[in-house]
Amino acid sequence: MKFLPPSLLLLLTSAPIAIIAPAALAFPPSHRNRHPNTHRHPPITPAASSSSRPHSRLLAETSTAAATSSDSAARGIKVSTENDLEKRQRHKRSRQRWGKFMKFHAKPANVSRPFQDLSLEGLRMLTEYYLGEANVAAARDAENHSGENGDDGVPDSLTASMSSHHVHEITKLLSSWAKLAIVGYMPSKSVDSSMNEGFVMLNNKERSKAAEMAEKCLRHLVEEQKLGNEKAIVSVDLYHLVITAWIKSGSHADLLHATSLLDYMKNNRHCNILLDGPKYNINSSKSSAKCYVAVLDGWCKSPYRDAEVQAEAMLHRMASLGIHNVKYYNNVMNRIATSGKPNAGSEAERLLNELIDMYKHGHTTMAPDRNAFNTVIKAYANSGGKNGPRNAKRILGMMENPDKHGLEDIASDIEPDRVSCTSIMMAWANSNDDGGCEMDAGDKAEQLLERMEEVFANKGDMKPDTAAYNAVIKVWGKCGDNEAGKKSEELLKKMLQQYQDGTNNDVKPDDVTFNSVIHNVATSLDVDSPQRALKILEQMEQHYEQGLIDVKPNIITYNSVLNSFAKSNRPGSAQQAEEILDNLEKSFDSGVWNIEPDVYSYNTVIHAWSNSNDEYSAQRAVALLDRMSARAKKGKSKVKPDSRTYNTVLHAWSQSTDRNAPIKALGLLELMFRLYEKGDENAKPDVLSFSTVINAFSKSRFPGKARECRNLLRRMKNMYDEGQEGMRPNIFVYSAVLNACAYTFGRSDEKEEALNIGLEIFEELKNSGIRPNHVAYGSFLRICRRLMTEDDARRSHFMTRAFKQCCADGQVGIYVLKQIRADPKLFVALLQAYIVDGDVQYHDLPSKWTRNVKESVKISRPRMKGDISRT
């Protein structure tokens, strides 16, 4: 008798008895008595030995049969003969062998699996033991037939060598590994014996390893069956288990491998499988369909790029094998719809047309259903683009008028429902036309909502729900209409009224509803929009406390309200925003409210202060930055300052009228460098950081500001040359440096220095490959006009050449025109053809001169108390 290796024996002796002899104790009795003479696990302990159990079981069955016969005879029922009894027992054993085998492998993934009490290492050792025993037996058999080799070196009479016990145990190990990969967790006691309950989740690498072990067992069984071992039964369920295990492992490579196993299954078509008694070819669609469906489902659910391409390829491969189902088409179309590709709508519609063509050619079972049409509408809605709504409505028209497309026989099956209408609304919301949807999209969406309500009032299947109202509110927010905020408030009021009076219980507002309404109100141009947004927030809190709604305000809700105050730029808005932040912070710290402000909350309030005209706005921004740093040091990582925080504070200093603002901005920039060198990645300065500090100097009257700005530009270039790609100076940095030179005041030596720096930087800009904008040209013209004397021969030459190049680049903006107009002689010389009544109107200039001007680019001028900037 052969025994287990000592290492495996030591591992198993510490496990429960059910683990020591799984074939004898952990498997159903019918399997134990299937082959009385078959070797099982070695008798490690006396408790594991059960040699008397088969005899006891046989005696029990014989006694039961005798009692049944006596009872039947006493009631006048015909008693079975001995041959009949043997026949029934033989059939029973056959059912136990095949039926229960299939039933075992058909268990769902969330039930117990063989050897579930073993750890991963124990299960691996047990698998290697049985696979190693099979290899030893095969090698021994090859050695016994070494003199009978054929031309290929393989023994001609080589036969299968695995015993029924080995086949049975390897099959159980395959099932255990596969289900472990599918479920993705194992009992915690399998990892640590001190833990008696709970589960340990497996990572993707461990799940892939489990699937690999399951496939290794499967391949051993297939090879054994090829050698003619009738005991090796390779069912389609085993293939399905292994394929599903690879799919559930999670990676793209594992999904590709699961697809390749279909070819492996097809190449072994000579192998027969057992399915409830009769034998089918493994490649038959009746037996292998679920394997193909599993792979198709894996691709449809895969988050990886281009998974929809693989899904469609699998769909057509299944169709070539005769595996047809509308549901499979719908799943692939849904994967296409969620792919995010701009042509998702047309790709999904192509599959819909395939269904329609098959239906028209007599395949009535392939008639498209409502879900197919809705999925195509969703694909057009998700793909965006200004043509998305029009194409989505065209598909809706096919559902409403099926007779025009030869679908009148299935008209009742493809009638539009609320999902259809909601998807149309989302198509309007997601359509992109210069950053927004059609201006009248809000009105169209609301008209469609009213139509749904009318159909529902007439007992139709278009009952509006929360998703429908949320879609209309989203459309109002995207269309850019000035009435978006008010319209959204009216829809929210309507939802609350219908839900409260019981007219429609499906329109209960949720967090998406309130957040969208607050966002639309906050972004409107109304003067009172911040107060209205705050009122909706308070209303949401009140409804939650009263139990009217299930969701309370979240951090997104509060941030939307803070954002409304930050964008209003009205006196006192920044103060009110900080008060809301203070109350939220205190409520969280005291445990009254479990919503903690995040970094976006603080950044929004800092932004509110940076845009305010308050005298101490920069100081308030710095105070909030210090508060964030202090809370982050106490373990509140959600409020740790990031690059946007620092840049917003720098912006506050650049807008400040404090005489020392540029020095303080430069000090904060140096602090960012020190923090970054200590390992704080969030404090890493970027191009915006430098350009903001340069702007702070540019707007000040700080002596030597042109020199300081040039030094910062040189520092950026050095960092870029050292390999920091993100530190390359852009046009805004160069424009800010030129602007600092243009607005230099003071002594003549300082102006001379600024002139030289300006000429140097403008020449550097032209040689850098960056095209100057209208601010750069305007600043250079101002440098020449203000810092050069009228008798300087370079003055007229530089300005004329710069203006002509500016016209060629299409960058003649208002700022440029002002600089030329300020020099009467040059004005007449360059613009005489466009002078009317002694002046030139900007709109009268040639369009090619102004074609590239973006007047949204602001010009930085000094901001000092009592200072009025000059031309």
Side-chain angles (χ1 to χ4, degrees):
M1 180 178 294
K2 299 177 182 179
F3 291 90
L4 297 174
S7 59
L8 186 58
L9 177 62
L10 179 62
L11 177 67
L12 296 179
T13 51
S14 61
I17 299 299
I19 306 176
I20 298 176
L25 300 180
F27 216 67
S30 58
H31 291 270
R32 294 203 303 266
N33 299 322
R34 189 168 57 193
H35 302 289
N37 297 325
T38 300
H39 168 68
R40 295 180 176 82
H41 285 294
I44 298 177
T45 63
S49 178
S50 56
S51 58
S52 61
R53 289 183 181 178
H55 303 286
S56 303
R57 175 63 180 265
L58 182 60
L59 290 174
E61 290 181 352
T62 305
S63 301
T64 302
T68 304
S69 300
S70 301
D71 182 63
S72 300
R75 292 185 282 118
I77 303 176
K78 181 179 178 180
V79 181
S80 301
T81 62
E82 184 67 20
N83 291 335
D84 292 336
L85 179 61
E86 291 177 355
K87 186 176 181 180
R88 288 199 303 270
Q89 290 176 344
R90 186 170 65 255
H91 289 170
K92 182 178 181 179
R93 287 193 296 270
S94 179
R95 290 194 302 272
Q96 290 173 345
R97 180 178 180 181
W98 309 124
K100 289 192 175 181
F101 177 81
M102 298 299 297
K103 183 179 179 181
F104 176 80
H105 290 292
K107 288 183 179 181
N110 59 349
V111 299
S112 60
R113 57 181 176 83
F115 312 115
Q116 66 180 5
D117 291 328
L118 284 180
S119 65
L120 287 175
E121 180 64 17
L123 190 61
R124 183 189 62 79
M125 294 177 65
L126 188 62
T127 304
E128 291 178 352
Y129 167 74
Y130 277 110
L131 295 181
E133 283 290 298
N135 293 334
V136 170
R140 187 186 308 110
D141 189 60
E143 183 179 355
N144 293 336
H145 297 84
S146 58
E148 306 173 11
N149 289 350
D151 296 337
D152 56 357
V154 180
D156 293 331
S157 58
L158 185 61
T159 59
S161 56
M162 289 176 60
S163 66
S164 59
H165 167 69
H166 273 87
V167 171
H168 178 65
E169 295 302 311
I170 291 178
T171 303
K172 287 171 59 181
L173 287 167
L174 183 155
S175 177
S176 182
W177 282 114
K179 292 182 178 180
L180 188 62
I182 293 171
V183 176
Y185 62 85
M186 61 189 307
S188 58
K189 58 184 177 182
S190 301
V191 179
D192 185 358
S193 58
S194 64
M195 299 175 62
N196 297 322
E197 57 184 14
F199 297 93
V200 175
M201 301 300 297
L202 303 181
N203 56 40
N204 288 343
K205 184 177 181 180
E206 292 171 333
R207 296 178 78 170
S208 297
K209 185 63 178 178
E212 181 183 349
M213 297 298 292
E215 183 182 346
K216 187 180 294 187
C217 295
L218 173 67
R219 290 181 180 271
H220 268 74
L221 292 175
V222 171
E223 293 302 318
E224 190 70 16
Q225 190 182 38
K226 286 182 179 180
L227 295 175
N229 190 345
E230 296 182 354
K231 301 170 186 176
I233 302 170
V234 184
S235 70
V236 69
D237 296 270
L238 295 183
Y239 278 100
H240 183 257
L241 270 175
V242 175
I243 289 173
T244 307
W246 279 111
I247 293 173
K248 294 294 185 180
S249 297
S251 72
H252 183 69
D254 291 345
L255 193 51
L256 288 171
H257 186 74
T259 307
S260 68
L261 285 179
L262 295 176
D263 295 326
Y264 178 71
M265 183 174 66
K266 180 180 179 180
N267 294 334
N268 289 282
R269 64 177 62 195
H270 61 277
C271 300
N272 293 325
I273 63 166
L274 186 74
L275 186 61
D276 295 330
K279 292 183 177 181
Y280 296 97
N281 186 277
I282 193 72
N283 202 44
S284 170
S285 61
K286 292 183 179 180
S287 60
S288 59
K290 61 181 177 182
C291 296
Y292 286 91
V293 172
V295 175
L296 177 67
D297 187 62
W299 283 116
C300 290
K301 294 180 179 179
S302 171
Y304 296 102
R305 184 179 180 182
D306 293 332
E308 67 280 356
V309 178
Q310 296 284 352
E312 186 175 352
M314 181 56 57
L315 176 68
H316 292 140
R317 180 177 177 181
M318 292 168 62
S320 66
L321 297 174
I323 308 175
H324 294 285
N325 197 307
V326 176
K327 180 177 67 176
Y328 305 152
Y329 274 83
N330 291 345
N331 290 342
V332 176
M333 286 190 290
N334 186 68
R335 180 61 183 84
I336 294 174
T338 57
S339 64
K341 292 185 175 180
N343 64 335
S346 59
E347 292 295 314
E349 187 176 359
R350 179 172 50 79
L351 291 181
L352 175 63
N353 290 332
E354 288 186 16
L355 286 176
I356 295 175
D357 291 341
M358 285 188 285
Y359 169 70
K360 289 182 178 180
H361 285 82
H363 298 281
T364 55
T365 58
M366 298 302 294
D369 55 11
R370 181 187 293 114
N371 188 31
F373 284 90
N374 286 344
T375 304
V376 177
I377 294 175
K378 183 175 74 172
Y380 277 117
N382 292 344
S383 61
K386 58 182 179 181
N387 294 326
R390 181 170 63 252
N391 289 322
K393 288 199 69 177
R394 178 171 52 81
I395 302 300
L396 181 65
M398 295 175 63
M399 302 173 70
E400 294 175 329
N401 304 289
D403 53 319
K404 294 182 179 180
H405 304 276
L407 303 174
E408 58 274 2
D409 293 338
I410 58 172
S412 59
D413 297 332
I414 61 174
E415 289 182 351
D417 58 0
R418 67 182 179 187
V419 176
S420 313
C421 297
T422 303
S423 298
I424 294 291
M425 297 171 188
M426 294 307 298
W428 277 315
N430 296 334
S431 62
N432 296 322
D433 187 9
D434 293 332
C437 59
E438 302 173 8
M439 289 296 295
D440 59 343
D443 292 322
K444 292 179 179 179
E446 196 156 349
Q447 290 172 6
L448 185 56
L449 179 64
E450 293 174 356
R451 176 186 166 191
M452 293 174 64
E453 292 174 340
E454 291 176 2
V455 174
F456 171 63
N458 295 327
K459 309 300 181 183
D461 188 22
M462 275 197 186
K463 184 179 182 181
D465 58 358
T466 303
Y469 274 89
N470 289 347
V472 180
I473 294 172
K474 183 178 180 181
V475 174
W476 276 117
K478 289 293 187 70
C479 69
D481 195 295
N482 293 334
E483 298 293 320
K486 294 180 180 179
K487 292 289 186 179
S488 301
E489 287 183 276
E490 293 174 1
L491 288 171
L492 174 60
K493 184 178 179 180
K494 187 176 181 180
M495 292 177 69
L496 290 170
Q497 183 178 355
Q498 290 185 4
Y499 181 73
Q500 285 178 314
D501 59 21
T503 305
N504 188 353
N505 293 328
D506 291 346
V507 295
K508 189 176 186 178
D510 57 9
D511 55 337
V512 176
T513 311
F514 281 95
N515 291 342
S516 300
V517 174
I518 292 176
H519 174 267
N520 293 350
V521 172
T523 55
S524 65
L525 301 178
D526 298 330
V527 177
D528 60 341
S529 58
Q531 300 300 329
R532 284 161 47 203
L534 181 59
K535 184 178 179 180
I536 297 172
L537 171 62
E538 295 172 349
Q539 184 184 16
M540 186 179 182
E541 293 174 343
Q542 181 180 2
H543 287 328
Y544 173 74
E545 293 173 356
Q546 294 174 352
L548 183 61
I549 59 176
D550 298 331
V551 293
K552 62 182 178 180
N554 54 26
I555 190 59
I556 298 176
T557 317
Y558 284 95
N559 287 343
S560 297
V561 176
L562 291 174
N563 193 44
S564 68
F565 282 98
K567 291 184 175 180
S568 67
N569 293 330
R570 291 183 58 82
S573 294
Q575 181 65 37
Q576 287 181 290
E578 187 169 353
E579 289 176 1
I580 296 173
L581 178 64
D582 291 342
N583 292 334
L584 185 61
E585 184 181 285
K586 293 177 181 177
S587 298
F588 176 78
D589 292 342
S590 61
V592 176
W593 206 242
N594 63 347
I595 300 176
E596 180 183 8
D598 58 8
V599 65
Y600 184 84
S601 310
Y602 284 90
N603 288 349
T604 304
V605 179
I606 293 174
H607 179 69
W609 279 115
S610 67
N611 287 339
S612 69
N613 294 322
D614 190 278
E615 182 180 356
Y616 300 102
S617 58
Q619 287 81 354
R620 296 302 308 163
V622 172
L624 286 169
L625 173 62
D626 294 339
R627 227 162 90 185
M628 294 175 69
S629 302
R631 291 179 69 86
K633 290 180 180 179
K634 295 180 180 179
K636 294 180 172 59
S637 58
K638 286 185 178 182
V639 297
K640 184 178 181 180
D642 57 10
S643 59
R644 182 181 177 184
T645 311
Y646 290 104
N647 287 340
T648 308
V649 177
L650 288 175
H651 178 69
W653 281 121
S654 71
Q655 300 295 317
S656 175
T657 57
D658 190 325
R659 292 183 178 274
N660 296 320
I663 299 300
K664 293 180 179 179
L666 182 60
L668 181 57
L669 180 66
E670 297 296 341
L671 174 63
M672 294 172 66
F673 271 107
R674 289 197 298 270
L675 293 175
Y676 173 66
E677 291 171 357
K678 292 181 180 179
D680 188 356
E681 292 288 337
N682 292 332
K684 182 180 180 180
D686 54 15
V687 173
L688 181 59
S689 309
F690 276 90
S691 62
T692 307
V693 177
I694 292 174
N695 267 327
F697 277 102
S698 176
K699 294 178 180 180
S700 71
R701 287 184 175 271
F702 189 81
K705 65 178 183 179
R707 182 175 59 257
E708 293 291 343
C709 292
R710 183 187 59 181
N711 293 341
L712 288 170
L713 175 62
R714 293 286 178 266
R715 188 173 180 182
M716 289 183 69
K717 293 192 65 176
N718 292 336
M719 295 174 65
Y720 175 72
D721 293 339
E722 292 173 358
Q724 298 190 35
E725 293 292 335
M727 296 306 297
R728 182 184 181 185
N730 55 29
I731 182 58
F732 303 106
V733 176
Y734 280 102
S735 298
V737 177
L738 291 172
N739 195 67
C741 298
Y743 283 90
T744 296
F745 306 97
R747 302 186 307 272
S748 58
D749 58 339
E750 187 175 345
K751 291 181 180 180
E752 183 67 23
E753 181 186 33
L755 172 62
N756 294 331
I757 292 174
L759 297 176
E760 173 191 351
I761 297 301
F762 189 73
E763 190 66 25
E764 181 180 314
L765 172 61
K766 291 192 298 182
N767 297 330
S768 66
I770 302 174
R771 299 181 68 90
N773 60 8
H774 72 285
V775 177
Y777 277 116
S779 297
F780 178 74
L781 291 172
R782 181 182 169 87
I783 290 173
C784 297
R785 185 177 63 84
R786 294 297 302 271
L787 302 182
M788 290 182 180
T789 60
E790 293 185 3
D791 57 351
D792 193 331
R794 300 176 300 170
R795 187 173 185 268
S796 178
H797 173 69
F798 285 169
M799 293 184 68
T800 302
R801 187 178 63 177
F803 181 76
K804 290 182 177 180
Q805 185 61 46
C806 181
C807 294
D809 292 342
Q811 293 287 354
V812 179
I814 296 177
Y815 184 38
V816 173
L817 184 59
K818 284 183 178 180
Q819 304 311 315
I820 299 298
R821 185 186 286 122
D823 190 321
K825 293 182 180 180
L826 198 61
F827 177 68
V828 173
L830 297 176
L831 299 174
Q832 185 176 7
Y834 307 99
I835 297 177
V836 178
D837 296 332
D839 198 3
V840 174
Q841 300 299 322
Y842 181 72
H843 56 78
D844 291 334
L845 295 177
S847 58
K848 63 180 182 180
W849 288 10
T850 62
R851 65 186 184 276
N852 295 323
V853 175
K854 295 181 180 179
E855 289 292 355
S856 59
V857 179
K858 296 182 179 180
I859 304 166
S860 300
R861 297 188 178 92
R863 284 184 53 186
M864 304 300 295
K865 295 181 180 179
D867 177 52
I868 301 177
S869 61
R870 293 174 290 177
T871 301

